[in-house]
Amino acid sequence: MPGVPHPTPPVATPAAVAPEVAAPVAQPSPVASAGTDPGRWGRVDAEGTIYVRTPEGERIVGSWQAGAPEEGLAHFARRFDDLLTEVELLAARLAAGGGEPKHALSSAKTLRDGLDEATVVGDLVGLRARLDELVTQAEEAVAAARSARDAQRAAAVARKEELAAEAETLAEEATQWKQAGDRFKAILDEWRAIRGVDRKTDELLWKRFSKARESFNRRRGSHFADLDRQRATAKTRKEELVVEAEKLSDSDDWGPTAARFRDLMTEWKAAGRAQKDADDSLWQRFRTAQDAFFARRAGTFAERDAEFAANADAKRALLVEAEKIDLSDPAGARAALRRVQERWEEIGKVPRDDIRPLEAGLRAVEERVREAAERQWRRTDPEAEARVAQFRERVAQFEAQAEKASAAGDARRAEQARSQAEQWREWLTTAEQAVKQR
């Protein structure tokens, strides 16, 4: 076209003809294919120069020196269709969300900017409009991707801030050391998996987390150091208690030793816990000593209980014998009662529950013998004064015996003599009353 400069285009030869590539597109292109009607978009002159029509006029795009001129025009039309296929593939990828939007935008702009120099024959106006559309879509995709990245970054920053705050709370308040330590490990694993935080912000948040973790580790270390000291002190104290318990295990002083073992148990609990293996070993020694003492005491008490039970049976049999004393002969009855009382004392102790019933039974027999004697005295005693004197003498005699036995340390004989003196004193009182009433 006159007045339009024509740059010298490359010369196409049969060897330089690019093979046709069939490229699928997502949808039919709104831009018409050039290959079906190349003459609609350009022309070739007799010398083989190829022109493409533009709004500004014709533009030389190349030269065809081999073969029919129409073949040259068709060749440049196919090159347009290849370019159109590339554009539609880019459109399909952009619509599908594949690839990087910034790369798609750059490709669309490059293709659009190259249209003014493109050596093709086809609908350049329609292709430019299509590329303008793709540039707009790519810019929107870039903006959306940027918003998504910003949102992702904000979420990542917020999550790391939450993790840092949680770590700081654990550092200040946690006392469940194992659970807190496991949580710090989980926080660290999650922290490393979070991406998209800018370097400066990430470093600031990491310093918070790292400081909190170090503070927790120091506090935990201090706690366990204190615990180790407490356990060492507990071990020393429990070793002392074990030594004392082992010494007491051979004691025959049943009451005081049992009381001391109860105190030792209280002191053991107050001593606190040592390391588990040491604590278990010391406890085993303590229990062994304690069990040995109480087993010996139980055996002794079992023997004593058997002895006391036999004594109770013997006293019950003696009580049956006492209840059969012949009261028609008061003197003989008194003599028989004394023999029963002496044997009663010799038998010894009985179980606690049997003491009161047995003593009550014996006192009942003593009362019946005393009453029988009183009845006889009232009937047959012509010399009451003499008997009163005799009774006084017997009271004095038994009291002297009681004092002598007590001085000799024989508590049983002393108690027996006092009991007999008391009985004779009762008879003396009765005799004196009889004298007064005659």
Side-chain angles (χ1 to χ4, degrees), residues 340-370:
V340 168
Q341 290 170 332
E342 291 172 356
R343 290 162 60 193
W344 187 278
E345 294 299 328
E346 290 173 356
I347 289 174
K349 296 181 179 181
V350 298
R352 183 185 301 273
D353 293 341
D354 292 325
I355 293 176
R356 182 173 295 179
L358 290 171
E359 292 294 336
L362 182 60
R363 284 196 297 271
V365 172
E366 292 171 347
E367 181 65 21
R368 288 196 295 273
V369 171
R370 185 183 65 79

mmCIF file of all heavy atoms in Angstrom, residues 340-370:
data_model
loop_
_atom_site.group_PDB
_atom_site.id
_atom_site.type_symbol
_atom_site.label_atom_id
_atom_site.label_comp_id
_atom_site.label_asym_id
_atom_site.label_seq_id
_atom_site.Cartn_x
_atom_site.Cartn_y
_atom_site.Cartn_z
ATOM 1 N N VAL A 340 -11.961 -72.973 147.233
ATOM 2 C CA VAL A 340 -12.363 -72.527 145.885
ATOM 3 C C VAL A 340 -11.691 -71.200 145.536
ATOM 4 O O VAL A 340 -11.170 -71.008 144.427
ATOM 5 C CB VAL A 340 -13.896 -72.388 145.806
ATOM 6 C CG1 VAL A 340 -14.303 -71.635 144.525
ATOM 7 C CG2 VAL A 340 -14.555 -73.755 145.816
ATOM 8 N N GLN A 341 -11.662 -70.265 146.484
ATOM 9 C CA GLN A 341 -11.058 -68.955 146.231
ATOM 10 C C GLN A 341 -9.561 -69.076 145.926
ATOM 11 O O GLN A 341 -9.023 -68.380 145.054
ATOM 12 C CB GLN A 341 -11.297 -68.041 147.430
ATOM 13 C CG GLN A 341 -12.758 -67.617 147.586
ATOM 14 C CD GLN A 341 -13.015 -66.906 148.902
ATOM 15 O OE1 GLN A 341 -12.316 -67.159 149.912
ATOM 16 N NE2 GLN A 341 -14.036 -66.040 148.919
ATOM 17 N N GLU A 342 -8.885 -69.958 146.703
ATOM 18 C CA GLU A 342 -7.449 -70.136 146.465
ATOM 19 C C GLU A 342 -7.195 -70.695 145.067
ATOM 20 O O GLU A 342 -6.312 -70.245 144.335
ATOM 21 C CB GLU A 342 -6.871 -71.060 147.532
ATOM 22 C CG GLU A 342 -6.833 -70.432 148.909
ATOM 23 C CD GLU A 342 -6.435 -71.427 149.996
ATOM 24 O OE1 GLU A 342 -6.270 -72.620 149.626
ATOM 25 O OE2 GLU A 342 -6.293 -71.029 151.163
ATOM 26 N N ARG A 343 -7.953 -71.734 144.699
ATOM 27 C CA ARG A 343 -7.794 -72.328 143.368
ATOM 28 C C ARG A 343 -8.180 -71.317 142.275
ATOM 29 O O ARG A 343 -7.591 -71.292 141.188
ATOM 30 C CB ARG A 343 -8.647 -73.590 143.267
ATOM 31 C CG ARG A 343 -8.105 -74.736 144.137
ATOM 32 C CD ARG A 343 -9.171 -75.795 144.377
ATOM 33 N NE ARG A 343 -9.631 -76.378 143.126
ATOM 34 C CZ ARG A 343 -10.729 -77.152 143.022
ATOM 35 N NH1 ARG A 343 -11.457 -77.383 144.106
ATOM 36 N NH2 ARG A 343 -11.089 -77.648 141.867
ATOM 37 N N TRP A 344 -9.186 -70.512 142.590
ATOM 38 C CA TRP A 344 -9.639 -69.465 141.634
ATOM 39 C C TRP A 344 -8.492 -68.511 141.292
ATOM 40 O O TRP A 344 -8.251 -68.203 140.129
ATOM 41 C CB TRP A 344 -10.816 -68.710 142.262
ATOM 42 C CG TRP A 344 -11.498 -67.719 141.348
ATOM 43 C CD1 TRP A 344 -11.108 -66.464 141.081
ATOM 44 C CD2 TRP A 344 -12.706 -67.926 140.623
ATOM 45 N NE1 TRP A 344 -11.986 -65.843 140.246
ATOM 46 C CE2 TRP A 344 -12.995 -66.726 139.926
ATOM 47 C CE3 TRP A 344 -13.611 -69.001 140.503
ATOM 48 C CZ2 TRP A 344 -14.115 -66.572 139.131
ATOM 49 C CZ3 TRP A 344 -14.726 -68.843 139.688
ATOM 50 C CH2 TRP A 344 -14.970 -67.644 139.004
ATOM 51 N N GLU A 345 -7.780 -68.063 142.315
ATOM 52 C CA GLU A 345 -6.669 -67.137 142.111
ATOM 53 C C GLU A 345 -5.513 -67.805 141.386
ATOM 54 O O GLU A 345 -4.820 -67.186 140.581
ATOM 55 C CB GLU A 345 -6.208 -66.559 143.448
ATOM 56 C CG GLU A 345 -7.234 -65.672 144.121
ATOM 57 C CD GLU A 345 -7.591 -64.461 143.276
ATOM 58 O OE1 GLU A 345 -6.707 -63.975 142.537
ATOM 59 O OE2 GLU A 345 -8.751 -64.017 143.336
ATOM 60 N N GLU A 346 -5.316 -69.079 141.670
ATOM 61 C CA GLU A 346 -4.205 -69.794 141.039
ATOM 62 C C GLU A 346 -4.444 -70.007 139.546
ATOM 63 O O GLU A 346 -3.488 -70.096 138.763
ATOM 64 C CB GLU A 346 -4.006 -71.145 141.732
ATOM 65 C CG GLU A 346 -3.442 -71.025 143.143
ATOM 66 C CD GLU A 346 -3.410 -72.370 143.857
ATOM 67 O OE1 GLU A 346 -3.910 -73.354 143.259
ATOM 68 O OE2 GLU A 346 -2.891 -72.424 144.971
ATOM 69 N N ILE A 347 -5.690 -70.106 139.149
ATOM 70 C CA ILE A 347 -5.988 -70.344 137.724
ATOM 71 C C ILE A 347 -5.466 -69.205 136.853
ATOM 72 O O ILE A 347 -4.920 -69.417 135.774
ATOM 73 C CB ILE A 347 -7.512 -70.543 137.534
ATOM 74 C CG1 ILE A 347 -7.920 -71.889 138.124
ATOM 75 C CG2 ILE A 347 -7.888 -70.483 136.048
ATOM 76 C CD1 ILE A 347 -9.411 -72.121 138.131
ATOM 77 N N GLY A 348 -5.615 -67.980 137.298
ATOM 78 C CA GLY A 348 -5.087 -66.848 136.540
ATOM 79 C C GLY A 348 -6.135 -66.132 135.697
ATOM 80 O O GLY A 348 -7.336 -66.281 135.911
ATOM 81 N N LYS A 349 -5.650 -65.352 134.699
ATOM 82 C CA LYS A 349 -6.511 -64.449 133.941
ATOM 83 C C LYS A 349 -7.384 -65.180 132.931
ATOM 84 O O LYS A 349 -7.063 -66.283 132.480
ATOM 85 C CB LYS A 349 -5.673 -63.400 133.196
ATOM 86 C CG LYS A 349 -4.903 -62.466 134.112
ATOM 87 C CD LYS A 349 -4.120 -61.457 133.298
ATOM 88 C CE LYS A 349 -3.364 -60.488 134.200
ATOM 89 N NZ LYS A 349 -2.607 -59.481 133.421
ATOM 90 N N VAL A 350 -8.492 -64.512 132.612
ATOM 91 C CA VAL A 350 -9.431 -65.037 131.620
ATOM 92 C C VAL A 350 -9.676 -63.945 130.578
ATOM 93 O O VAL A 350 -9.312 -62.789 130.793
ATOM 94 C CB VAL A 350 -10.772 -65.435 132.300
ATOM 95 C CG1 VAL A 350 -10.531 -66.534 133.325
ATOM 96 C CG2 VAL A 350 -11.440 -64.226 132.934
ATOM 97 N N PRO A 351 -10.321 -64.276 129.428
ATOM 98 C CA PRO A 351 -10.636 -63.234 128.441
ATOM 99 C C PRO A 351 -11.470 -62.119 129.050
ATOM 100 O O PRO A 351 -12.264 -62.342 129.959
ATOM 101 C CB PRO A 351 -11.413 -63.993 127.362
ATOM 102 C CG PRO A 351 -10.906 -65.387 127.447
ATOM 103 C CD PRO A 351 -10.644 -65.624 128.910
ATOM 104 N N ARG A 352 -11.293 -60.907 128.530
ATOM 105 C CA ARG A 352 -11.949 -59.724 129.083
ATOM 106 C C ARG A 352 -13.471 -59.910 129.183
ATOM 107 O O ARG A 352 -14.088 -59.527 130.175
ATOM 108 C CB ARG A 352 -11.639 -58.518 128.198
ATOM 109 C CG ARG A 352 -12.205 -57.214 128.714
ATOM 110 C CD ARG A 352 -11.953 -56.105 127.701
ATOM 111 N NE ARG A 352 -10.538 -55.937 127.448
ATOM 112 C CZ ARG A 352 -9.728 -55.167 128.169
ATOM 113 N NH1 ARG A 352 -10.212 -54.494 129.205
ATOM 114 N NH2 ARG A 352 -8.452 -55.072 127.879
ATOM 115 N N ASP A 353 -14.063 -60.490 128.167
ATOM 116 C CA ASP A 353 -15.524 -60.638 128.158
ATOM 117 C C ASP A 353 -16.024 -61.618 129.207
ATOM 118 O O ASP A 353 -17.219 -61.614 129.545
ATOM 119 C CB ASP A 353 -15.990 -61.095 126.768
ATOM 120 C CG ASP A 353 -15.765 -60.031 125.708
ATOM 121 O OD1 ASP A 353 -15.593 -58.856 126.081
ATOM 122 O OD2 ASP A 353 -15.750 -60.382 124.512
ATOM 123 N N ASP A 354 -15.130 -62.489 129.731
ATOM 124 C CA ASP A 354 -15.554 -63.493 130.716
ATOM 125 C C ASP A 354 -15.342 -63.034 132.153
ATOM 126 O O ASP A 354 -15.826 -63.703 133.086
ATOM 127 C CB ASP A 354 -14.784 -64.801 130.489
ATOM 128 C CG ASP A 354 -15.178 -65.468 129.185
ATOM 129 O OD1 ASP A 354 -16.356 -65.372 128.817
ATOM 130 O OD2 ASP A 354 -14.305 -66.071 128.529
ATOM 131 N N ILE A 355 -14.615 -61.934 132.359
ATOM 132 C CA ILE A 355 -14.261 -61.529 133.723
ATOM 133 C C ILE A 355 -15.503 -61.246 134.561
ATOM 134 O O ILE A 355 -15.692 -61.812 135.655
ATOM 135 C CB ILE A 355 -13.332 -60.293 133.684
ATOM 136 C CG1 ILE A 355 -11.975 -60.666 133.075
ATOM 137 C CG2 ILE A 355 -13.155 -59.736 135.098
ATOM 138 C CD1 ILE A 355 -11.039 -59.494 132.902
ATOM 139 N N ARG A 356 -16.353 -60.358 134.061
ATOM 140 C CA ARG A 356 -17.507 -59.929 134.878
ATOM 141 C C ARG A 356 -18.481 -61.076 135.171
ATOM 142 O O ARG A 356 -18.873 -61.254 136.318
ATOM 143 C CB ARG A 356 -18.231 -58.777 134.171
ATOM 144 C CG ARG A 356 -19.406 -58.239 134.953
ATOM 145 C CD ARG A 356 -19.974 -56.988 134.297
ATOM 146 N NE ARG A 356 -18.999 -55.900 134.327
ATOM 147 C CZ ARG A 356 -19.216 -54.706 133.802
ATOM 148 N NH1 ARG A 356 -20.369 -54.446 133.201
ATOM 149 N NH2 ARG A 356 -18.280 -53.769 133.877
ATOM 150 N N PRO A 357 -18.887 -61.901 134.198
ATOM 151 C CA PRO A 357 -19.809 -62.993 134.531
ATOM 152 C C PRO A 357 -19.238 -63.981 135.542
ATOM 153 O O PRO A 357 -19.942 -64.429 136.456
ATOM 154 C CB PRO A 357 -20.059 -63.668 133.178
ATOM 155 C CG PRO A 357 -19.731 -62.643 132.160
ATOM 156 C CD PRO A 357 -18.650 -61.821 132.740
ATOM 157 N N LEU A 358 -17.954 -64.310 135.425
ATOM 158 C CA LEU A 358 -17.351 -65.272 136.348
ATOM 159 C C LEU A 358 -17.239 -64.692 137.756
ATOM 160 O O LEU A 358 -17.552 -65.370 138.760
ATOM 161 C CB LEU A 358 -15.979 -65.699 135.835
ATOM 162 C CG LEU A 358 -15.992 -66.582 134.574
ATOM 163 C CD1 LEU A 358 -14.571 -66.765 134.037
ATOM 164 C CD2 LEU A 358 -16.614 -67.946 134.871
ATOM 165 N N GLU A 359 -16.792 -63.446 137.863
ATOM 166 C CA GLU A 359 -16.657 -62.822 139.187
ATOM 167 C C GLU A 359 -18.028 -62.668 139.841
ATOM 168 O O GLU A 359 -18.180 -62.851 141.056
ATOM 169 C CB GLU A 359 -15.976 -61.458 139.043
ATOM 170 C CG GLU A 359 -14.519 -61.524 138.629
ATOM 171 C CD GLU A 359 -13.642 -62.175 139.692
ATOM 172 O OE1 GLU A 359 -14.035 -62.162 140.883
ATOM 173 O OE2 GLU A 359 -12.576 -62.702 139.335
ATOM 174 N N ALA A 360 -19.031 -62.328 139.057
ATOM 175 C CA ALA A 360 -20.374 -62.206 139.606
ATOM 176 C C ALA A 360 -20.868 -63.548 140.142
ATOM 177 O O ALA A 360 -21.511 -63.629 141.211
ATOM 178 C CB ALA A 360 -21.327 -61.680 138.539
ATOM 179 N N GLY A 361 -20.564 -64.633 139.403
ATOM 180 C CA GLY A 361 -20.972 -65.952 139.875
ATOM 181 C C GLY A 361 -20.314 -66.327 141.184
ATOM 182 O O GLY A 361 -20.957 -66.884 142.094
ATOM 183 N N LEU A 362 -19.006 -66.015 141.322
ATOM 184 C CA LEU A 362 -18.298 -66.348 142.564
ATOM 185 C C LEU A 362 -18.816 -65.511 143.723
ATOM 186 O O LEU A 362 -18.987 -66.019 144.857
ATOM 187 C CB LEU A 362 -16.797 -66.126 142.375
ATOM 188 C CG LEU A 362 -15.921 -66.491 143.588
ATOM 189 C CD1 LEU A 362 -16.079 -67.964 143.959
ATOM 190 C CD2 LEU A 362 -14.449 -66.159 143.312
ATOM 191 N N ARG A 363 -19.068 -64.209 143.461
ATOM 192 C CA ARG A 363 -19.594 -63.367 144.533
ATOM 193 C C ARG A 363 -20.974 -63.864 145.007
ATOM 194 O O ARG A 363 -21.310 -63.776 146.201
ATOM 195 C CB ARG A 363 -19.688 -61.907 144.060
ATOM 196 C CG ARG A 363 -18.353 -61.211 144.009
ATOM 197 C CD ARG A 363 -18.523 -59.719 143.915
ATOM 198 N NE ARG A 363 -19.213 -59.334 142.679
ATOM 199 C CZ ARG A 363 -18.601 -59.087 141.526
ATOM 200 N NH1 ARG A 363 -17.272 -59.175 141.455
ATOM 201 N NH2 ARG A 363 -19.303 -58.737 140.455
ATOM 202 N N ALA A 364 -21.765 -64.393 144.102
ATOM 203 C CA ALA A 364 -23.071 -64.934 144.495
ATOM 204 C C ALA A 364 -22.910 -66.125 145.444
ATOM 205 O O ALA A 364 -23.649 -66.272 146.444
ATOM 206 C CB ALA A 364 -23.857 -65.338 143.256
ATOM 207 N N VAL A 365 -21.924 -66.989 145.142
ATOM 208 C CA VAL A 365 -21.661 -68.134 146.036
ATOM 209 C C VAL A 365 -21.185 -67.634 147.404
ATOM 210 O O VAL A 365 -21.627 -68.128 148.476
ATOM 211 C CB VAL A 365 -20.627 -69.077 145.401
ATOM 212 C CG1 VAL A 365 -20.203 -70.165 146.409
ATOM 213 C CG2 VAL A 365 -21.174 -69.719 144.132
ATOM 214 N N GLU A 366 -20.258 -66.653 147.409
ATOM 215 C CA GLU A 366 -19.754 -66.093 148.670
ATOM 216 C C GLU A 366 -20.894 -65.504 149.505
ATOM 217 O O GLU A 366 -20.937 -65.657 150.735
ATOM 218 C CB GLU A 366 -18.700 -65.026 148.369
ATOM 219 C CG GLU A 366 -17.426 -65.598 147.764
ATOM 220 C CD GLU A 366 -16.478 -64.516 147.266
ATOM 221 O OE1 GLU A 366 -16.911 -63.352 147.158
ATOM 222 O OE2 GLU A 366 -15.308 -64.831 146.983
ATOM 223 N N GLU A 367 -21.836 -64.843 148.817
ATOM 224 C CA GLU A 367 -22.961 -64.250 149.533
ATOM 225 C C GLU A 367 -23.830 -65.330 150.169
ATOM 226 O O GLU A 367 -24.287 -65.183 151.329
ATOM 227 C CB GLU A 367 -23.778 -63.398 148.566
ATOM 228 C CG GLU A 367 -24.962 -62.696 149.203
ATOM 229 C CD GLU A 367 -24.544 -61.661 150.234
ATOM 230 O OE1 GLU A 367 -23.373 -61.195 150.176
ATOM 231 O OE2 GLU A 367 -25.384 -61.299 151.087
ATOM 232 N N ARG A 368 -24.066 -66.432 149.462
ATOM 233 C CA ARG A 368 -24.882 -67.497 150.029
ATOM 234 C C ARG A 368 -24.205 -68.153 151.228
ATOM 235 O O ARG A 368 -24.844 -68.490 152.229
ATOM 236 C CB ARG A 368 -25.179 -68.540 148.952
ATOM 237 C CG ARG A 368 -26.167 -68.054 147.902
ATOM 238 C CD ARG A 368 -26.727 -69.203 147.097
ATOM 239 N NE ARG A 368 -25.722 -69.885 146.289
ATOM 240 C CZ ARG A 368 -25.366 -69.531 145.075
ATOM 241 N NH1 ARG A 368 -25.937 -68.467 144.498
ATOM 242 N NH2 ARG A 368 -24.456 -70.217 144.413
ATOM 243 N N VAL A 369 -22.893 -68.329 151.160
ATOM 244 C CA VAL A 369 -22.149 -68.913 152.296
ATOM 245 C C VAL A 369 -22.214 -67.969 153.492
ATOM 246 O O VAL A 369 -22.414 -68.392 154.650
ATOM 247 C CB VAL A 369 -20.687 -69.201 151.896
ATOM 248 C CG1 VAL A 369 -19.855 -69.592 153.126
ATOM 249 C CG2 VAL A 369 -20.630 -70.315 150.845
ATOM 250 N N ARG A 370 -22.044 -66.678 153.232
ATOM 251 C CA ARG A 370 -22.106 -65.708 154.327
ATOM 252 C C ARG A 370 -23.484 -65.706 154.982
ATOM 253 O O ARG A 370 -23.616 -65.696 156.214
ATOM 254 C CB ARG A 370 -21.772 -64.310 153.800
ATOM 255 C CG ARG A 370 -21.704 -63.246 154.898
ATOM 256 C CD ARG A 370 -21.446 -61.877 154.305
ATOM 257 N NE ARG A 370 -22.545 -61.442 153.460
ATOM 258 C CZ ARG A 370 -23.682 -60.938 153.943
ATOM 259 N NH1 ARG A 370 -23.870 -60.811 155.237
ATOM 260 N NH2 ARG A 370 -24.639 -60.566 153.106
#
